[in-house]
Amino acid sequence: MRESFHEELNRLRTELRRMCALTAEAIRRASRSLLTADLDIAEQVIAADAEIDWARADCESQAQALLALQAPKAHDLRAILAAIYCADRFERMGDLAAHIAGITRFAHPACAIPVELEPAFAEMGGAAAGMADRLAELIARECACGFADLAETDQTIDTVRARVLTLITSDQWPHGVQAAINLALLARFYERFGDQAVAVANRLGFAETGELPFHIHT
């Protein structure tokens, strides 16, 4: 019975890691569509969001079955509850990537990012994708040590977002109100993506150790 339980638990972990990989690919492709005004990639990201939603449902059903049939305790119970929590966060991260792609579509055929802000959004996009990649690695390794480095990367995104907001609210901003609104939304989407990634790392740490590295409201 216990062997079967742990096989199912490993299957749940594998599905969670696959879901994380999908969010990493989504944010990476959404950022590419944004910086290149590539409508085809944007549409692919938006369409693929449904797969992340289905993956969440699959994770939840697997976790609920384990809770109902196996009565897990201590570490195993934390792992199952963490999987439910993390799947919810990964779905939100996929939604945020789709929102970014949606602004690419809204601005098309123009590029939503002015030339002078391309480095800032490239940095946020790269950082966000790297955070999702790191989470997939932590899930695969059942590692509780990823909170600090992900929190540091999240701070980088927050810092870049602050620079963007300072620029687009300046009296010297040359690109108009609609562009400023789009850029503020985009920066917010990246910030929230990073926040969700940190929340996942926090919960993975709790699943392994029984202690939360830091309490986060998301």
Side-chain angles (χ1 to χ4, degrees):
M1 180 71 74
R2 294 303 296 172
E3 182 178 348
S4 173
F5 170 77
H6 283 290
E7 286 177 359
E8 289 301 310
L9 189 57
N10 285 334
R11 190 166 79 88
L12 174 59
R13 186 176 292 110
T14 297
E15 181 62 16
L16 191 66
R17 182 170 180 263
R18 186 182 78 86
M19 190 178 182
C20 182
L22 289 173
T23 67
E25 180 65 11
I27 194 67
R28 188 171 283 112
R29 289 171 64 80
S31 297
R32 189 184 314 150
S33 78
L34 184 66
L35 292 166
T36 62
D38 192 316
L39 182 59
D40 289 339
I41 295 177
E43 296 290 3
Q44 290 166 17
V45 172
I46 293 166
D49 187 49
E51 185 177 0
I52 298 176
D53 296 344
W54 296 331
R56 178 202 176 185
D58 191 37
C59 281
E60 287 189 347
S61 64
Q62 290 181 51
Q64 289 165 2
L66 286 170
L67 289 171
L69 301 176
Q70 301 291 349
K73 297 180 181 180
H75 178 273
D76 291 338
L77 177 59
R78 292 198 305 270
I80 294 169
L81 294 177
I84 296 172
Y85 178 92
C86 294
D88 177 72
R89 293 307 186 269
F90 287 146
E91 182 185 30
R92 294 187 192 184
M93 290 161 72
D95 291 342
L96 290 163
H99 293 339
I100 291 168
I103 290 186
T104 298
R105 180 168 64 182
F106 176 79
H108 188 80
C111 183
I113 308 300
V115 172
E116 65 268 32
L117 283 175
E118 286 178 1
F121 279 91
E123 184 175 1
M124 285 191 287
M131 292 177 82
D133 289 336
R134 176 66 169 146
L135 287 175
E137 178 186 327
L138 294 174
I139 294 167
R141 293 170 50 198
E142 300 180 48
C143 180
C145 62
F147 176 81
D149 59 312
L150 281 165
E152 183 177 350
T153 303
D154 184 47
Q155 185 58 52
T156 297
I157 294 176
D158 293 345
T159 299
V160 176
R161 175 179 179 256
R163 293 205 311 263
V164 170
L165 293 180
T166 297
L167 182 61
I168 65 177
T169 56
S170 166
D171 291 339
Q172 286 74 45
W173 174 247
H175 300 290
V177 173
Q178 185 60 61
I181 292 171
N182 287 343
L183 291 164
L185 285 171
L186 287 164
R188 175 62 171 165
F189 295 152
Y190 282 114
E191 180 199 32
R192 292 301 297 148
F193 191 99
D195 289 346
Q196 299 297 335
V198 172
V200 169
N202 196 43
R203 193 52 58 102
L204 292 174
F206 172 72
E208 289 300 313
T209 67
E211 297 181 0
L212 286 170
F214 188 74
H215 186 67
I216 297 177
H217 298 282
T218 58

